[in-house]
Amino acid sequence: KILIIGACGQIGTELTIRLREIYGNDNVIAGDIREGSEELMQSGPFEIVDAMNRTSIEDVCLHYEINEVYLMAAMLSATAEKYPKKAWNLNMDSLFHILNIAKEGKIDKIFWPSSIAVFGPTTPKENTPQQTVMEPSTVYGISKQTGERWCEYYYNKYGVDVRSIRYPGLISWKTLPGGGTTDYAVEIFHEALKNNHYDCFLKEDTSLPMMFMEDAIKATVSIMQTKSENIKQRSSYNLAGMTFTPAEIASEITKHLPDFTVTYQPDFRQSIADSWPGSIDDSVAREDWSWSHDYDLEKMVKEMLDNLK
Ligand code: VAH
């Protein structure tokens, strides 16, 4: 059976729904600190789980005989800069609880999300390779880079089968994201449809690696279904979908909403975005577990507007 911790979050919501479609509703337990969307709550078992409380996690794992855990709870980049200590504690304690439960043989397989936020200002910005200089300058990026080191350590030392993906910025319509720097690319749709105008918190030429949620969910399911011996990277895999700037996504939206206008008022999140790569080389994920993405900017914008209007 599968437990998703952070099941009510931006990724967790859609991941839970997809896993229930694949493995059956009653075999996928949604866990979070608060209840989620009606679709999520109606489609299968839900338990209040505090990702920072090991007993809370272990009780659910024992009760439902869980053998796979997807740990999707985390504090994202922008919020983590406001609450560094809380972000570090949430992002790290939750990971250690799951790694140790697996080390004790109580669960067999873990998915843990990393992020392109592990790269920093000294990382090559274009086509960032799988192995490269990583000096993250954000609390969130530091926590994700450290988490990757621990995942690899627990695999090598204790044989814990943990798999991970460095997600780019994720765009989705089912659940609002919370506290991310790439969230402008979600907000822009809601504002466009509501006000025909968006005041963007990043500069118009800020190029960032992005992915439509459908592709992120496909990759997550795929890496967990891959035979263990084919998972050669036990830190985390680079994953790429598309790269665009606020100006480019705004221009694509204007093809559908001709009167849409954007202004640019960069805030503290600009320095976070500037520390990240513009594009990612995910050739290693393509080699090891046949990854390929489906959505480009044009297809994503159409899908977002069709589902939000
Ligand atoms: C954030 N959406 O903005 C997350 C993600 C690469 C960005 O990690 O913090």
Side-chain angles (χ1 to χ4, degrees):
K1 290 205 172 170
I2 294 171
L3 170 63
I4 293 115
I5 300 174
C8 302
Q10 184 193 11
I11 306 172
T13 300
E14 301 205 42
L15 182 59
T16 303
I17 292 159
R18 175 63 48 80
L19 291 172
R20 284 177 171 165
E21 286 164 1
I22 298 169
Y23 299 108
N25 290 347
D26 291 341
N27 294 319
V28 181
I29 290 70
D32 208 309
I33 198 80
R34 55 169 170 69
E35 294 198 351
S37 69
E38 196 169 317
E39 184 184 9
L40 178 92
M41 299 303 285
Q42 301 300 322
S43 61
F46 174 86
E47 292 288 344
I48 292 288
V49 173
D50 174 356
M52 292 174 75
N53 176 324
R54 175 166 171 161
T55 311
S56 150
I57 299 168
E58 213 157 345
D59 288 352
V60 172
C61 287
L62 294 177
H63 177 73
Y64 287 93
E65 296 174 339
I66 298 295
N67 47 31
E68 280 186 32
V69 174
Y70 292 69
L71 174 55
M72 309 309 287
M75 192 182 289
L76 298 185
S77 59
T79 312
E81 289 305 299
K82 291 179 187 163
Y83 309 103
K85 195 78 186 70
K86 175 99 175 66
W88 178 259
N89 293 341
L90 170 59
N91 295 3
M92 300 318 295
D93 292 359
S94 56
L95 176 59
F96 280 122
H97 292 329
I98 303 298
L99 289 173
N100 287 324
I101 291 171
K103 176 185 161 201
E104 292 161 22
K106 293 168 184 164
I107 51 175
D108 312 324
K109 205 192 270 187
I110 301 167
F111 178 80
W112 180 75
S114 183
S115 161
I116 57 108
V118 297
F119 300 118
T122 55
T123 304
K125 285 243 179 266
E126 294 311 319
N127 245 351
T128 302
Q130 176 70 39
Q131 255 92 29
T132 183
V133 172
M134 299 163 86
E135 296 173 325
S137 52
T138 64
V139 172
Y140 174 72
I142 294 165
S143 77
K144 287 301 182 182
Q145 184 192 32
T146 313
E148 290 188 6
R149 299 287 92 236
W150 280 112
C151 287
E152 191 178 72
Y153 183 87
Y154 268 71
Y155 173 76
N156 289 328
K157 194 152 172 86
Y158 308 118
V160 169
D161 185 1
V162 49
R163 294 116 186 267
S164 179
I165 282 172
R166 290 169 184 157
Y167 289 122
L170 298 182
I171 297 152
S172 62
W173 52 271
K174 276 197 179 171
T175 315
L176 280 174
T181 298
T182 58
D183 296 352
Y184 88 86
V186 177
E187 288 175 6
I188 194 167
F189 289 99
H190 295 270
E191 294 300 307
L193 290 166
K194 199 167 57 183
N195 306 324
N196 230 348
H197 176 76
Y198 180 53
D199 194 13
C200 183
F201 56 71
L202 295 181
K203 283 192 294 199
E204 61 189 288
D205 61 350
T206 309
S207 187
L208 286 170
M210 297 281 194
M211 180 175 281
F212 188 52
M213 183 60 77
E214 188 57 37
D215 274 332
I217 300 299
K218 177 178 119 174
T220 309
V221 170
S222 172
I223 194 172
M224 286 295 272
Q225 290 180 338
T226 299
K227 288 203 307 286
S228 185
E229 54 267 27
N230 293 348
I231 303 290
K232 308 270 192 316
Q233 302 296 323
R234 290 289 178 167
S235 51
S236 188
Y237 276 91
N238 275 11
L239 207 68
M242 46 189 138
T243 285
F244 56 76
T245 63
E248 287 165 336
I249 188 171
S251 141
E252 191 61 32
I253 291 171
T254 310
K255 289 179 187 169
H256 300 264
L257 304 171
D259 304 333
F260 174 54
T261 58
V262 188
T263 46
Y264 299 94
Q265 309 275 350
D267 67 9
F268 74 100
R269 288 167 285 193
Q270 186 64 46
S271 59
I272 296 173
D274 289 341
S275 74
W276 291 344
S279 61
I280 300 290
D281 170 6
D282 61 1
S283 52
V284 176
R286 292 171 191 271
E287 278 154 36
D288 289 3
W289 41 278
S290 330
W291 157 247
S292 71
H293 73 280
D294 299 320
Y295 285 81
D296 61 9
L297 178 59
E298 190 179 350
K299 192 174 172 188
M300 177 273 286
V301 166
K302 187 173 180 335
E303 188 79 6
M304 286 292 283
L305 290 173
D306 285 351
N307 283 288
L308 283 174
K309 65 182 160 201

